[in-house]
Amino acid sequence: ATTVTANRAAGQTVNLADTVSNYINITGVQLETGTTATPFEHLQYGQQLALCLRYLPVVQATNYVATGMCFSATNARCSVQFPVPSRVSPTGFTTTGAISMTTNNGSGTGSIVWANASTLMASLSATGLSGLVAGDATALIGNQSILFTGCEL
Protein backbone atom coordinates (compact mmCIF):
# COMPACT_ATOMS: atom_id res chain seq x y z
CA ALA A 1 0.00 0.00 0.00
CA THR A 2 1.11 3.50 -0.72
CA THR A 3 0.33 6.76 1.00
CA VAL A 4 -0.34 9.96 -0.85
CA THR A 5 1.34 12.63 1.22
CA ALA A 6 -0.86 15.38 -0.12
CA ASN A 7 -3.98 13.72 1.38
CA ARG A 8 -2.63 12.98 4.88
CA ALA A 9 -4.22 16.03 6.49
CA ALA A 10 -6.52 17.30 3.79
CA GLY A 11 -8.92 19.96 5.03
CA GLN A 12 -7.12 20.42 8.36
CA THR A 13 -6.16 24.04 8.88
CA VAL A 14 -5.27 25.73 12.13
CA ASN A 15 -4.97 29.46 12.63
CA LEU A 16 -3.36 29.78 16.07
CA ALA A 17 -3.50 33.56 15.90
CA ASP A 18 -7.26 34.00 15.37
CA THR A 19 -8.15 33.64 19.10
CA VAL A 20 -6.13 34.18 22.28
CA SER A 21 -7.10 30.82 23.77
CA ASN A 22 -6.05 28.67 20.77
CA TYR A 23 -3.44 25.99 21.34
CA ILE A 24 -2.01 22.92 19.68
CA ASN A 25 -0.88 19.72 21.41
CA ILE A 26 2.23 18.03 20.07
CA THR A 27 3.23 14.61 21.38
CA GLY A 28 5.52 11.82 20.27
CA VAL A 29 8.32 14.16 19.16
CA GLN A 30 12.00 13.63 19.86
CA LEU A 31 14.43 16.45 19.09
CA GLU A 32 17.91 15.50 17.98
CA THR A 33 21.14 17.43 17.57
CA GLY A 34 23.10 16.79 14.39
CA THR A 35 21.97 15.01 11.26
CA THR A 36 21.62 11.42 12.51
CA ALA A 37 18.26 10.29 13.87
CA THR A 38 18.21 7.74 16.69
CA PRO A 39 15.38 5.37 17.65
CA PHE A 40 12.53 7.02 19.55
CA GLU A 41 13.12 6.91 23.30
CA HIS A 42 10.01 6.57 25.48
CA LEU A 43 10.51 6.60 29.26
CA GLN A 44 7.85 5.78 31.80
CA TYR A 45 6.78 8.67 34.06
CA GLY A 46 8.64 7.25 37.09
CA GLN A 47 11.87 6.86 35.12
CA GLN A 48 11.68 10.41 33.79
CA LEU A 49 10.88 11.81 37.26
CA ALA A 50 13.87 9.98 38.79
CA LEU A 51 16.14 11.45 36.11
CA CYS A 52 14.78 14.95 36.79
CA LEU A 53 15.18 14.58 40.59
CA ARG A 54 18.93 14.17 40.05
CA TYR A 55 19.00 17.92 39.24
CA LEU A 56 16.68 19.18 42.01
CA PRO A 57 16.24 16.71 44.88
CA VAL A 58 12.87 17.27 46.57
CA VAL A 59 11.71 15.73 49.85
CA GLN A 60 7.93 15.93 50.21
CA ALA A 61 7.10 16.12 53.91
CA THR A 62 3.72 15.21 55.32
CA ASN A 63 4.89 14.75 58.90
CA TYR A 64 8.29 13.31 59.78
CA VAL A 65 11.04 14.30 57.37
CA ALA A 66 14.15 12.84 58.99
CA THR A 67 15.69 11.67 62.24
CA GLY A 68 18.85 12.80 63.94
CA MET A 69 20.52 13.63 67.26
CA CYS A 70 20.59 16.50 69.75
CA PHE A 71 24.03 17.99 70.34
CA SER A 72 23.03 20.36 73.16
CA ALA A 73 19.96 21.83 74.83
CA THR A 74 19.45 24.14 71.83
CA ASN A 75 21.07 22.42 68.82
CA ALA A 76 20.20 19.29 66.84
CA ARG A 77 21.07 17.81 63.44
CA CYS A 78 19.12 15.55 61.10
CA SER A 79 20.06 13.77 57.88
CA VAL A 80 17.59 13.89 55.00
CA GLN A 81 17.88 11.09 52.45
CA PHE A 82 17.19 11.96 48.80
CA PRO A 83 14.64 9.94 46.79
CA VAL A 84 17.33 9.25 44.13
CA PRO A 85 21.05 10.10 44.10
CA SER A 86 21.62 13.68 42.96
CA ARG A 87 23.84 14.59 40.00
CA VAL A 88 26.32 16.37 42.32
CA SER A 89 26.22 17.25 46.01
CA PRO A 90 23.72 20.07 46.67
CA THR A 91 24.96 23.36 48.07
CA GLY A 92 21.82 24.69 49.77
CA PHE A 93 18.10 24.24 50.35
CA THR A 94 14.81 26.07 50.47
CA THR A 95 11.46 25.09 51.96
CA THR A 96 7.82 25.72 51.16
CA GLY A 97 6.84 26.08 54.85
CA ALA A 98 8.03 26.01 58.45
CA ILE A 99 10.28 23.22 59.70
CA SER A 100 10.67 22.27 63.35
CA MET A 101 12.55 19.73 65.44
CA THR A 102 11.05 17.66 68.23
CA THR A 103 12.25 15.20 70.89
CA ASN A 104 10.75 13.53 73.94
CA ASN A 105 12.04 16.34 76.15
CA GLY A 106 11.68 19.46 74.05
CA SER A 107 10.85 20.92 70.72
CA GLY A 108 10.55 24.15 68.86
CA THR A 109 10.83 25.96 65.61
CA GLY A 110 14.34 27.26 65.41
CA SER A 111 16.56 28.30 62.58
CA ILE A 112 17.18 25.41 60.22
CA VAL A 113 20.57 25.86 58.60
CA TRP A 114 22.66 24.01 56.05
CA ALA A 115 25.28 21.62 57.47
CA ASN A 116 26.65 19.49 54.60
CA ALA A 117 25.62 17.06 51.87
CA SER A 118 26.60 14.24 49.56
CA THR A 119 24.84 12.93 46.47
CA LEU A 120 22.74 10.63 48.69
CA MET A 121 21.69 12.86 51.62
CA ALA A 122 21.98 16.24 53.30
CA SER A 123 22.43 17.22 56.93
CA LEU A 124 20.40 20.10 58.35
CA SER A 125 21.05 21.69 61.75
CA ALA A 126 18.53 23.41 63.98
CA THR A 127 19.54 26.11 66.44
CA GLY A 128 17.50 28.21 68.85
CA LEU A 129 15.44 25.32 70.22
CA SER A 130 14.90 24.69 73.91
CA GLY A 131 14.63 21.77 76.31
CA LEU A 132 16.70 19.33 74.24
CA VAL A 133 19.00 16.79 75.92
CA ALA A 134 22.38 16.15 74.31
CA GLY A 135 22.48 12.59 72.96
CA ASP A 136 18.70 12.24 72.57
CA ALA A 137 17.19 11.32 69.24
CA THR A 138 15.32 14.04 67.39
CA ALA A 139 13.00 14.28 64.41
CA LEU A 140 12.64 16.93 61.74
CA ILE A 141 8.92 17.50 61.18
CA GLY A 142 6.69 19.69 59.07
CA ASN A 143 4.14 19.80 56.28
CA GLN A 144 6.19 21.24 53.46
CA SER A 145 8.66 20.36 50.74
CA ILE A 146 12.40 20.74 51.03
CA LEU A 147 14.13 21.54 47.72
CA PHE A 148 17.87 20.98 47.66
CA THR A 149 19.64 23.38 45.30
CA GLY A 150 22.98 23.50 43.52
CA CYS A 151 22.61 20.24 41.56
CA GLU A 152 21.33 21.85 38.39
CA LEU A 153 23.56 22.43 35.38
Side-chain angles (χ1 to χ4, degrees):
T2 62
T3 302
V4 178
T5 304
N7 294 329
R8 279 194 171 168
Q12 302 297 315
T13 60
V14 176
N15 183 353
L16 292 176
D18 70 346
T19 303
V20 175
S21 61
N22 282 354
Y23 66 93
I24 186 169
N25 289 330
I26 299 174
T27 63
V29 175
Q30 177 172 302
L31 301 177
E32 300 277 350
T33 58
T35 58
T36 306
T38 60
F40 187 76
E41 180 182 18
H42 176 75
L43 298 176
Q44 296 295 323
Y45 176 80
Q47 292 172 301
Q48 190 67 51
L49 179 61
L51 290 172
C52 291
L53 285 174
R54 294 175 48 233
Y55 295 91
L56 183 65
V58 176
V59 176
Q60 299 287 344
T62 56
N63 195 2
Y64 287 94
V65 179
T67 58
M69 187 176 92
C70 301
F71 290 99
S72 69
T74 60
N75 190 328
R77 180 176 289 177
C78 286
S79 294
V80 180
Q81 186 172 351
F82 302 144
V84 298
S86 60
R87 187 183 69 81
V88 296
S89 298
T91 56
F93 74 100
T94 186
T95 65
T96 59
I99 299 177
S100 61
M101 295 255 188
T102 186
T103 67
N104 288 339
N105 297 315
S107 65
T109 302
S111 299
I112 307 294
V113 296
W114 182 256
N116 57 49
S118 71
T119 58
L120 301 175
M121 64 177 46
S123 292
L124 302 177
S125 293
T127 59
L129 306 175
S130 61
L132 304 181
V133 176
D136 275 3
T138 187
L140 185 65
I141 60 172
N143 290 308
Q144 75 289 322
S145 298
I146 304 173
L147 290 76
F148 292 90
T149 58
C151 301
E152 59 279 349
L153 294 174

